[in-house]
Amino acid sequence: MREEIDWVTVAEGVEVYLEDTGPREARPLLVLHGGPGGSSYALREGIGDLLEDYRVLYLDQRGGGRSPALPERPEFFTLDALVDDLRSLRRHLGLPEWTLLGHGFGGLLALEYARRWPESTRGLVLVNPWTNFPWLAAQLYRASLALRGLEEVEVPIPEDGAALLEEAFAHLEPKVVFDRLLFPSARSRMEYEWVVEGSVVVGSDAPGRMLVLNGLWRFDYTPYLLDLKVPPQVILGTLDHSSYPEAEVVADLTGGRLELVEGAGHYPWVDQPQTFAEALRSALEG
C-alpha cells in the first residue's frame, strides 16, 4: 500500500505530521484524532483496515503527537488556528474537496471546518464527537463522585465547567475520571491502552493546557450547528458517557443521520468491531 510521510508547513513556524496513505486517485479522507494533543496512531491501528478504498490522510494536529512542539502560548492553540491548519493542508495537497472523519475532540474540528468551507467538504463523519464542554465537565464531576463512593447527583450544566473540574480532579487523577466515562469495561480500556502504548508516540499535554487557558471548558458548539450546511453522519457508542446522549443534538439540529452502537464506549471499534464497521461503512457511503 502506498504510504508517504511528511511534515507539512501549515502556518508560519508551524509544521504538522501527516501520513498520506492508499490509492492517490481514490476519494480523500482526512482523519482527525481526539485529544487535544493526541495522535492519529491509535485511529489508524483501530480503523485503518476499514478505509482501504480511500486515500486516507492521518494528521497529528499542531503541537501534539508526532508534530513538532510549539511554544506553550495560548495564541498557538486556538480552535481557529487548528481549523485553519486543515485548510492549509488541503491546499498544500491540491485537493478541491475531501471527506472529514473526526473522533472526540477531532469531531469539533471537523464540524467547524465544514461550517466554514462547505464547498470543499464532500462528506462529514463524526464518531462520538465532543461539542459541549460545560456538559462534559458536569459528566466528569459526576464520575468523580461515583469513583469516591459518593452519591451521584444531577449537576446543572454550568456556563464554565472549570470549577467542577477543579473539584473533580482535586481528589482523583484526571485519567481515572476520564476512563470512567470512556470505557464500558476494564477489558476495553486495556485493549485500547495496549495499542497506544505500543505506538511509542509520546503525546503532549501542551495543546490541552493552552486550550483550557483559552476557555475550552466554557465552550458549547451547539449554536453553531444551526449554520452547518453539510449534514453529518454521526456514530455514537451508547456507553460513551463523554458524548452520549448529548451529541445526539448534532444530528437533530443539522438534519444529519444518527447511528447508535449499543454496548460501545468512546472507542466503538474496540467494543463492538463488527457493528461499528457496518456503521462506518454506511456513514461513508452516506
Side-chain angles (χ1 to χ4, degrees), residues 124-156:
L124 181 59
V125 179
L126 309 173
V127 180
N128 293 340
W130 287 357
T131 56
N132 187 337
F133 290 87
W135 178 86
L136 176 56
Q139 291 290 96
L140 289 164
Y141 177 75
R142 293 182 70 240
S144 75
L145 294 178
L147 287 166
R148 286 182 279 155
L150 303 175
E151 181 183 359
E152 287 190 68
V153 295
E154 289 300 322
V155 180

Side-chain angles (χ1 to χ4, degrees), residues 29-33 47 51 99-103 110 125 127 280 284:
L29 175 68
L30 176 66
V31 174
L32 295 168
H33 62 77
I47 68 174
L51 305 175
T99 295
L100 298 103
L101 193 165
H103 174 244
V125 179
V127 180
L280 181 60
L284 289 169

Side-chain angles (χ1 to χ4, degrees), residues 51-120:
L51 305 175
E52 292 180 344
D53 294 334
Y54 297 86
R55 178 183 178 182
V56 189
L57 307 165
Y58 295 99
L59 168 71
D60 282 9
Q61 296 151 28
R62 64 160 58 194
R66 292 155 291 188
S67 292
L70 292 172
E72 293 194 24
R73 301 206 303 267
E75 62 266 28
F76 278 98
F77 298 100
T78 65
L79 181 61
D80 285 343
L82 289 164
V83 175
D84 284 342
D85 288 349
L86 306 184
R87 180 177 61 168
S88 295
L89 177 63
R90 182 182 59 79
R91 288 175 170 176
H92 170 82
L93 296 171
L95 299 174
E97 62 178 14
W98 56 11
T99 295
L100 298 103
L101 193 165
H103 174 244
F105 177 77
L108 176 64
L109 303 185
L111 278 165
E112 181 60 6
Y113 179 95
R115 187 181 75 89
R116 294 189 193 182
W117 300 293
E119 69 283 354
S120 62

Side-chain angles (χ1 to χ4, degrees), residues 1 25 27 37 43 45 55 78 80 114 146 156 167 179 186 194 196-197 212 215 269 276 281:
M1 181 182 71
E25 68 281 0
R27 175 179 168 185
L43 271 171
E45 288 294 302
R55 178 183 178 182
T78 65
D80 285 343
E167 170 66 18
D179 284 354
W194 181 83
V196 172
E197 291 170 3
V212 168
W269 57 90
F276 174 75
R281 187 177 303 111

Side-chain angles (χ1 to χ4, degrees), residues 10 50 69 76 91 115 174 200 218 224 230:
V10 290
L50 305 176
F76 278 98
R91 288 175 170 176
R115 187 181 75 89
V200 301
R218 296 193 300 271
Y224 298 93
V230 182

